[in-house]
Amino acid sequence: MPDLPAPSSTGVRIAGDRYQWLAAWQGCVAAVRDAALRAPNPVVAVGVEVDDAGNLDDVVLYRQAPPHTYMQIKYAADSSTPVNEDYLLKLSDRGGPSILRKMAQAWMQLTKDGTPVDLALLSNRSPDAEDPLVSLRDSRTQLLVPKAAQQGPKSKKGQARTRWADGAGLSEETLLDLLKVLRFDLARDVMHLHEHLQMLMFAAGLRFDEGAMHAGADWVARQVADGQRRLSLADIREAIGALRLAAGSSRAVVSIATLKPDPMAEDADYAVDWAERFEGASAYLKRRPLAPATWAQLQEDIEAAPYRMPPGTTAVAVTGSLRLAPAFVVGAAFRMVTGVDLAVVQRGQLWSSAEPYEAPLPPAVDEHALDLGPDLAVAIAVATDPAQEVLDFLTEQQIPVSRLLVLRPPGGAKDNSIPDAATANALAVGIREHLRRACRPHPGIHLFQAGPMGLSLLLGNRWNRLRPTTVYEDVNGHQVYEKAFVIDA
């Protein structure tokens, strides 16, 4: 890719505006989803460049009851200016108040009558890992406290607190009160914001392709240009209709991250973050839990998800990053017999367990005799054919199975053999129906998979009236596979 020229000041300003419109549209989507799911304190309107919020006016999420969320959005064209003490306390180019002082002034104005607030500095800038206070930011809460309040006045933290308090025009005690409600929502680069917003649109029952995302941001920009600075839920719903963005119903969100952090975790009704509990330096290498973490602990966390859903939940969106064995267990945790419609994004498409299909799609079947024991081994060969590796594993490890069934789509195993959700559902039902007959003489099933993650989820969702099933994961090791989970079926 050729080097790009440095952006002009106009280009940076346009990119910064775009970043703000996307953040505002994200608030609009949250309002729609909150209303549909009857959230306890929903977002009911979104403000953009409002008049009464001082330096925290870029985007405001008005909730049914305080605290409302006031955001200051700071976009940067490059990574040369991390968020640190220098950045926060530096006077403006014209010698005016610093960013921290302006936020402190806005906070004092917003809370003068005792109204609670939620404040956020949203930026694509990264936190400075060397800064005495910013480095203490909790990634879960995005707050600097309680760590920033620890240690005495002569410590590095204490000296930094004094400088921050002086720069903000506050006492140190009052500064800490500000830091209890000021979130540092940092390192939100544009691609991260896009991914988060598109997944939120998916969960809200909207089209979530890139064009739909930008259509929403464009609508926000037009409202601001027309002087409309408070976007009501009715305004947002009217825009969704006019832009033809509606695509289904809103869903509760289960976030399962085993390969990399999930931007949707903060919006999820239940989140499992195991990205740091899997071994491997990158998402491509993470395949098994890192000791002392275990597969059994991960299964326990996943199987808790149905009990953390809002009362009356009938539609669930699964977000995050997970391999086939965990995806299967997520599907099994929300089995179709419980009446829940489960959905995931697969290659830009919505794959829902409720997607209609004409008839079950019977798989092509190969059988291999092993005579190692009473159980049944099953290899799902969809994206590729793992038959030989599975046979080698079963033989080398003396897994107690009498035979191996290799189940393929009728057209054979290939990476595009399942084009859509209807085909995935039809094949999942076809596999289940075949195995219900095949497993009758066997006390247990040993399951191996090679296919799209969405199929694993939908197959687990329909895995009932079978046999207790041991699910294996491809760990790309000497033995290739590892026993991961055991589920009842």
Side-chain angles (χ1 to χ4, degrees):
M1 181 177 179
D3 293 337
L4 295 175
S8 66
S9 57
T10 300
V12 173
R13 186 175 65 252
I14 291 172
D17 287 344
R18 192 68 186 174
Y19 192 83
Q20 182 179 349
W21 310 147
L22 288 166
W25 177 243
Q26 183 168 294
C28 293
V29 176
V32 171
R33 183 168 172 266
D34 281 359
L37 298 181
R38 297 181 176 85
N41 190 21
V43 175
V44 295
V46 177
V48 188
E49 297 184 356
V50 300
D51 292 328
D52 57 351
N55 195 239
L56 293 159
D57 64 345
D58 287 340
V59 176
V60 180
L61 305 184
Y62 295 104
R63 291 187 170 80
Q64 193 172 68
H68 309 308
T69 296
Y70 297 84
M71 299 185 202
Q72 179 66 25
I73 297 177
K74 292 292 185 181
Y75 175 83
D78 55 45
S79 301
S80 61
T81 53
V83 175
N84 55 21
E85 182 177 306
D86 289 343
Y87 173 76
L88 293 169
L89 300 186
K90 180 183 177 182
L91 299 181
S92 72
D93 293 340
R94 297 183 180 181
S98 67
I99 292 172
L100 185 62
R101 182 175 285 260
K102 286 191 286 188
M103 287 194 294
Q105 291 170 346
W107 170 64
M108 296 290 285
Q109 176 66 26
L110 290 168
T111 59
K112 64 182 180 181
D113 61 354
T115 302
V117 295
D118 171 46
L119 311 179
L121 173 63
L122 173 64
S123 180
N124 61 331
R125 291 177 170 85
S126 297
D128 187 342
E130 302 301 321
D131 186 88
L133 296 185
V134 175
S135 63
L136 304 175
R137 171 180 171 271
D138 189 319
S139 61
R140 299 164 299 177
T141 65
Q142 303 173 340
L143 296 172
L144 305 188
V145 292
K147 289 184 178 179
Q150 296 169 352
Q151 298 183 2
K154 294 184 179 181
S155 66
K156 287 185 177 180
K157 291 182 189 178
Q159 293 175 39
R161 287 196 303 269
T162 299
R163 294 191 296 270
W164 280 43
D166 290 343
L170 304 172
S171 68
E172 187 172 323
E173 181 180 2
T174 308
L175 171 71
L176 290 175
D177 287 338
L178 169 60
L179 295 183
K180 290 176 183 176
V181 297
L182 175 57
R183 293 182 290 109
F184 288 78
D185 192 354
L186 306 177
R188 295 278 187 171
D189 61 51
V190 173
M191 293 306 297
H192 184 281
L193 184 62
H194 285 185
E195 181 183 357
H196 186 187
L197 178 50
Q198 287 179 268
M199 288 298 96
L200 192 63
M201 293 175 73
F202 156 56
L206 305 180
R207 284 174 38 215
F208 54 90
D209 57 275
E210 190 168 333
M213 174 184 67
H214 287 298
D218 289 342
W219 174 78
V220 171
R222 289 194 297 273
Q223 304 316 297
V224 176
D226 291 342
Q228 183 76 7
R229 300 194 176 191
R230 184 182 175 107
L231 311 175
S232 69
L233 182 57
D235 294 331
I236 298 165
R237 284 173 169 164
E238 183 179 349
I240 287 170
L243 297 171
R244 298 181 180 179
L245 297 182
S249 59
S250 291
R251 297 173 179 272
V253 173
V254 172
S255 166
I256 310 289
T258 62
L259 308 180
K260 60 181 181 178
D262 180 14
M264 275 294 289
E266 65 194 63
D267 298 297
D269 297 276
Y270 180 64
V272 174
D273 184 1
W274 272 56
E276 298 302 319
R277 299 178 71 182
F278 261 52
E279 64 179 33
S282 74
Y284 299 102
L285 300 176
K286 291 178 183 287
R287 291 178 177 269
R288 56 154 69 96
L290 176 66
T294 66
W295 289 112
Q297 292 169 337
L298 177 57
Q299 181 171 354
E300 183 178 347
D301 284 353
I302 291 173
E303 290 181 342
Y307 306 100
R308 304 295 182 86
M309 294 296 97
T313 294
T314 58
V316 173
V318 178
T319 67
S321 55
L322 57 167
R323 294 196 181 275
L324 301 186
F328 184 91
V329 174
V330 174
F334 289 94
R335 262 173 267 200
M336 181 169 279
V337 292
T338 65
V340 173
D341 170 25
L342 202 59
V344 70
V345 174
Q346 179 71 45
R347 295 176 185 156
Q349 298 180 359
L350 188 154
W351 280 20
S352 162
S353 61
E355 182 73 22
Y357 59 92
E358 292 186 2
L361 183 62
V365 182
D366 286 343
E367 181 171 338
H368 302 267
L370 290 163
D371 297 324
L372 299 173
D375 291 348
L376 173 68
V378 176
I380 308 298
V382 174
T384 188
D385 190 344
Q388 190 57 56
E389 287 183 334
V390 173
L391 282 168
D392 291 345
F393 175 81
L394 294 171
T395 302
E396 291 170 4
Q397 300 301 310
Q398 291 292 289
I399 305 300
V401 298
S402 63
R403 55 183 178 143
L404 167 66
L405 298 184
V406 182
L407 309 183
R408 304 181 180 86
K414 50 189 176 182
D415 59 9
N416 61 353
S417 60
I418 303 181
D420 51 38
T423 305
N425 280 326
L427 182 60
V429 174
I431 290 172
R432 182 195 63 191
E433 295 306 301
H434 182 86
L435 291 179
R436 279 179 175 174
R437 297 186 296 272
C439 75
R440 287 173 186 166
H442 302 281
I445 296 173
H446 298 257
L447 180 65
F448 303 81
Q449 303 174 88
M453 186 271 284
L455 177 64
S456 295
L457 187 82
L458 297 176
L459 190 60
N461 179 247
R462 286 179 160 89
W463 201 258
N464 66 306
R465 291 186 60 232
L466 291 160
R467 293 289 184 270
T469 301
T470 302
V471 186
Y472 293 81
E473 183 59 86
D474 178 355
V475 295
N476 198 30
H478 175 69
Q479 297 173 354
V480 183
Y481 295 102
E482 182 171 287
K483 176 182 174 181
F485 308 109
V486 178
I487 66 165
D488 293 329

